Amino acid sequence: MKRIELTIKALSPLAIGKQKPGGSINEVERYIPGSVLRGAIAKHILQRAGRELENLATNGGDFADLFLAENPAIFQNAYPAVAKVGSKHQVVDNNIKVLPATAVSSKANPGFLPKGHGVFDTLIDSFCAEQFQHSYDPSSLKALEQGVDPRVETYNSLYSKHNEQYCTHAATSRLLTRVGINRYRATSSDDILYSIEVLNEAFIVANEGKNQEWDNYVYRGYINVSNDELVTKLTNFINNNSEVFRLGGSVSRGLGKVEITAKEIPVADDISSRIHVFNQALHKRWQDWSEAFGDGLRPAKSDRTPNPTSKRTFFTLNLHSDVILTEDWQRTTVISPEMLQQFADVEDPSLKLHTAYSSYSYTSGWNSAWGLMKDVELVTNKGSVYLFSTENRQLWEDALSSLELRGVGDRTCEGFGQVEICNEFHQIFRENPV
């Protein structure tokens, strides 16, 4: 499987709707979902090819291989690449990730250093505390030093690491007010006024007095293609038509204009090292907790808590996008060991789920090909974390590497179910926030 990196520059506001089921307000997504990218590229290929949809299943050629085959191309979400670095906003080329649900920051002044009180992760400490049957209630050391409320709460954000400094990624939005048009008179209709929430097409790079420098918002996403021969064809097609794609709704009103550039990039093969570094950090933290329970606080040697890090290999499954999970024909928000073995096509009786941090929401959408609403789905939110361990590490390294490319759950070709193994942020502890 090969990977295509997409760089999407917004040339006009983007109306990428996120309507909650049963709601009357059409909110906007803060990123470009993989389903939107998939639909826009597929639509333009069909327009260029001049083919009818019903003929593609049997005589679709490359289109059928990309979109209708058993292993279609996987269009992942495109996240904003604009970050605040120092005192300015700029486009960062580093890999953009989702903060784990176990990441927390001060309630008094949340955010990365130096602007906020810093962000740190609680997964490993929570696991150690549970094993030692000890309560774990973290607090912000920076807030304690400043004499303010030290309580912490979950910090949800996209982030990247730029020159050893962690920075937050986000896209801003605004409301566009529109008036309804009378179809018969071609004039404005009475009492019809509505607003559309859109993602901004530009951001301020620098603001010096009255002189402001602007630049276009940039989003970065990926396409994973199992058919190596189609990678070059798809890359060339996107680059040859880079300014004709339209994303989101209200494109007839001038919204959704983008410029997309594509390039082939190598697939990262560092699963083994990530698992190794994570287990080193976990083992070291376990030793710290063991020392903290010394001098009479620890039980007798014969009754001491056994060290689970000595014989088992631990790894985390981090959701990089929302995921649709089904177990026994029912929706769920937890990836059980049986489900993970099925996703990875691995049989391992020693696999164990230790803890899960997950939340849920609902999603729907519009199928342009059929002209119908998509089903309302229960989704597990991106950022959710699952901690597993196994006694058979060799069985899992290649399988987990494949899972990062293919994803887990349903509708992975639309950007759902993107996962990351052993996010490096789990190694950021309370005493050294970033």
Side-chain angles (χ1 to χ4, degrees), residues 19-37:
Q19 185 169 2
K20 296 181 179 179
S24 59
I25 299 176
N26 193 4
E27 301 176 353
V28 68
E29 290 281 13
R30 302 295 172 171
Y31 59 93
I32 302 175
S35 58
V36 173
L37 290 172

Side-chain angles (χ1 to χ4, degrees), residues 160-225:
S160 69
K161 191 175 181 180
H162 181 77
N163 294 332
E164 302 303 319
Q165 172 66 45
Y166 286 84
C167 47
T168 300
H169 289 248
T172 59
S173 65
R174 70 180 188 270
L175 290 175
L176 298 180
T177 302
R178 294 289 186 265
V179 63
I181 300 299
N182 188 305
R183 295 179 182 273
Y184 298 101
R185 298 180 181 179
T187 59
S188 60
S189 296
D190 296 334
D191 302 325
I192 298 181
L193 195 67
Y194 63 96
S195 296
I196 305 173
E197 187 179 14
V198 297
L199 294 177
N200 291 326
E201 69 276 25
F203 63 95
I204 299 176
V205 179
N207 188 1
E208 299 177 359
K210 297 182 179 180
N211 299 321
Q212 294 182 345
E213 297 182 14
W214 294 80
D215 199 358
N216 291 96
Y217 263 106
V218 174
Y219 301 82
R220 187 156 291 118
Y222 301 91
I223 306 175
N224 297 332
V225 185

Side-chain angles (χ1 to χ4, degrees), residues 317-365:
L317 196 69
N318 302 78
L319 299 190
H320 201 253
S321 71
D322 296 341
V323 60
I324 303 172
L325 299 172
T326 304
E327 186 175 27
D328 295 333
W329 303 96
Q330 294 181 334
R331 296 300 186 195
T332 181
T333 61
V334 176
I335 300 177
S336 65
E338 293 76 20
M339 292 172 63
L340 184 58
Q341 291 178 67
Q342 183 179 0
F343 292 147
D345 194 21
V346 171
E347 293 186 6
D348 182 11
S350 70
L351 184 67
K352 182 179 180 181
L353 173 64
H354 293 275
T355 186
Y357 295 82
S358 63
S359 59
Y360 71 92
S361 60
Y362 296 92
T363 187
S364 183

Side-chain angles (χ1 to χ4, degrees), residues 67-360:
F67 298 96
L68 305 175
E70 183 178 355
N71 295 312
I74 297 173
F75 290 78
Q76 298 185 343
N77 297 339
Y79 294 124
V82 177
K84 186 171 184 179
V85 181
S87 60
K88 297 182 179 181
H89 288 81
Q90 67 183 67
V91 176
V92 177
D93 293 331
N94 294 42
N95 191 20
I96 304 161
K97 298 183 179 182
V98 178
L99 270 179
T102 50
V104 298
S105 186
S106 166
K107 296 183 69 174
N109 185 19
F112 291 108
L113 297 173
K115 183 178 180 180
H117 284 166
V119 185
F120 61 94
D121 193 81
T122 61
L123 175 68
I124 293 179
D125 279 332
S126 295
F127 170 74
C128 292
E130 181 181 359
Q131 296 298 310
F132 280 96
Q133 299 181 357
H134 191 280
S135 62
Y136 179 65
D137 186 16
S139 59
S140 171
L141 295 178
K142 189 76 172 179
L144 284 171
E145 293 174 0
Q146 298 182 3
V148 297
D149 187 355
R151 290 180 297 173
V152 296
E153 61 184 356
T154 302
Y155 188 70
N156 299 316
S157 174
L158 299 170
Y159 79 99
S160 69
K161 191 175 181 180
H162 181 77
N163 294 332
E164 302 303 319
Q165 172 66 45
Y166 286 84
C167 47
T168 300
H169 289 248
T172 59
S173 65
R174 70 180 188 270
L175 290 175
L176 298 180
T177 302
R178 294 289 186 265
V179 63
I181 300 299
N182 188 305
R183 295 179 182 273
Y184 298 101
R185 298 180 181 179
T187 59
S188 60
S189 296
D190 296 334
D191 302 325
I192 298 181
L193 195 67
Y194 63 96
S195 296
I196 305 173
E197 187 179 14
V198 297
L199 294 177
N200 291 326
E201 69 276 25
F203 63 95
I204 299 176
V205 179
N207 188 1
E208 299 177 359
K210 297 182 179 180
N211 299 321
Q212 294 182 345
E213 297 182 14
W214 294 80
D215 199 358
N216 291 96
Y217 263 106
V218 174
Y219 301 82
R220 187 156 291 118
Y222 301 91
I223 306 175
N224 297 332
V225 185
S226 57
N227 188 332
D228 294 347
E229 296 180 358
L230 293 179
V231 173
T232 302
K233 291 183 180 180
L234 183 58
T235 301
N236 292 336
F237 176 83
I238 294 173
N239 289 329
N240 292 337
N241 301 275
S242 61
E243 296 187 5
V244 302
F245 297 104
R246 299 294 183 268
L247 303 180
S250 300
V251 295
S252 61
R253 304 168 195 171
L255 304 184
K257 185 178 181 181
V258 296
E259 179 184 348
I260 305 178
T261 56
K263 68 176 182 179
E264 298 181 38
I265 61 172
V267 177
D269 186 20
D270 59 346
I271 289 287
S272 179
S273 62
R274 273 185 274 159
I275 294 176
H276 177 70
V277 172
F278 177 79
N279 280 270
Q280 276 189 324
L282 178 58
H283 181 74
K284 174 62 168 60
R285 202 63 174 178
W286 181 274
Q287 297 300 324
D288 294 341
W289 275 80
S290 297
E291 295 175 3
F293 278 83
D295 298 329
L297 295 180
R298 283 293 309 274
K301 185 174 182 180
S302 60
D303 299 330
R304 287 183 180 178
T305 303
N307 185 356
T309 67
S310 60
K311 296 182 179 181
R312 301 182 67 88
T313 297
F314 289 76
F315 63 89
T316 66
L317 196 69
N318 302 78
L319 299 190
H320 201 253
S321 71
D322 296 341
V323 60
I324 303 172
L325 299 172
T326 304
E327 186 175 27
D328 295 333
W329 303 96
Q330 294 181 334
R331 296 300 186 195
T332 181
T333 61
V334 176
I335 300 177
S336 65
E338 293 76 20
M339 292 172 63
L340 184 58
Q341 291 178 67
Q342 183 179 0
F343 292 147
D345 194 21
V346 171
E347 293 186 6
D348 182 11
S350 70
L351 184 67
K352 182 179 180 181
L353 173 64
H354 293 275
T355 186
Y357 295 82
S358 63
S359 59
Y360 71 92

